[in-house]
Amino acid sequence: MKLLILFIVMNVLNVIIQTVKSICTIKCGKAVAALVNAVAYGLYTYIVVLTMCDLPLLAKCLIVAGCNFVGVYVVKFFEEKARKDKLWKVEATIPAKYQSAVHFDLKDIPHNYIEGVGNYTLFNFYCATQAESAKVRDIINQYDAKYFVSESKSL
């Protein structure tokens, strides 16, 4: 029973560290990425040896699959919670006949617009949260909009 618990705990830990390693390799600097990679591969060597234990092969497979599901889900959950909202600009070209409706429907989201771009109105929406971005997307899709999105960058 101790072996089973050790196998499960170490696999969960391994999956969490490997997932963090993947994120750090992309998003962090050289030193942090190198440190997390070193820890991840050091632990992975222990996991490889531990995999030779006297548990049935099917049990090992199911445990590793379950640990991967739970571990990745947990890391991604916390990554999403830690992610800061960024300012997004949504530039949308909407048929002019819908200008008033769009302006009214999205009056609580900062925006401006330019009339008379052919038979269209050009709207610029400034979304500070993911919820605002989703609201703008949902509403302008109702009005046959063509749009593109850009993310603010730090200077």
Side-chain angles (χ1 to χ4, degrees):
M1 189 57 143
K2 287 182 182 180
L3 182 60
L4 177 63
I5 293 171
L6 176 65
F7 188 74
I8 292 170
V9 169
M10 293 310 294
N11 269 286
V12 168
L13 186 60
N14 180 51
V15 170
I16 289 171
I17 291 172
Q18 292 290 343
T19 306
V20 169
K21 173 195 69 94
S22 297
I23 294 168
C24 287
T25 299
I26 294 169
K27 293 186 176 183
C28 296
K30 292 181 286 205
V32 171
L35 177 64
V36 173
N37 266 275
V39 170
Y41 283 107
L43 179 61
Y44 180 71
T45 302
Y46 180 72
I47 295 296
V48 169
V49 172
L50 189 59
T51 303
M52 304 297 230
C53 69
D54 285 335
L55 292 172
L57 180 59
L58 182 58
K60 291 178 199 175
C61 293
L62 292 173
I63 290 168
V64 170
C67 290
N68 271 276
F69 182 83
V70 170
V72 171
Y73 187 90
V74 166
V75 171
K76 292 299 288 179
F77 176 81
F78 285 111
E79 180 195 20
E80 288 172 3
K81 291 293 180 194
R83 186 181 308 145
K84 295 177 184 170
D85 282 327
K86 296 180 180 182
L87 181 65
W88 293 87
K89 177 183 175 188
V90 180
E91 188 169 327
T93 306
I94 299 170
K97 63 185 177 182
Y98 300 131
Q99 173 188 328
S100 296
V102 171
H103 180 65
F104 178 79
D105 289 347
L106 294 168
K107 65 180 175 262
D108 57 328
I109 307 236
H111 68 276
N112 59 31
Y113 59 91
I114 302 170
E115 298 176 15
V117 182
N119 293 326
Y120 297 91
T121 300
L122 177 65
F123 278 87
N124 292 300
F125 298 97
Y126 303 94
C127 305
T129 66
Q130 294 173 25
E132 286 182 351
S133 299
K135 182 177 181 180
V136 167
R137 180 198 62 225
D138 293 343
I139 299 252
I140 65 176
N141 279 335
Q142 296 173 17
Y143 296 106
D144 301 323
K146 304 292 185 222
Y147 62 92
F148 70 91
V149 180
S150 56
E151 172 188 2
S152 64
K153 300 290 180 196
S154 298
L155 293 176

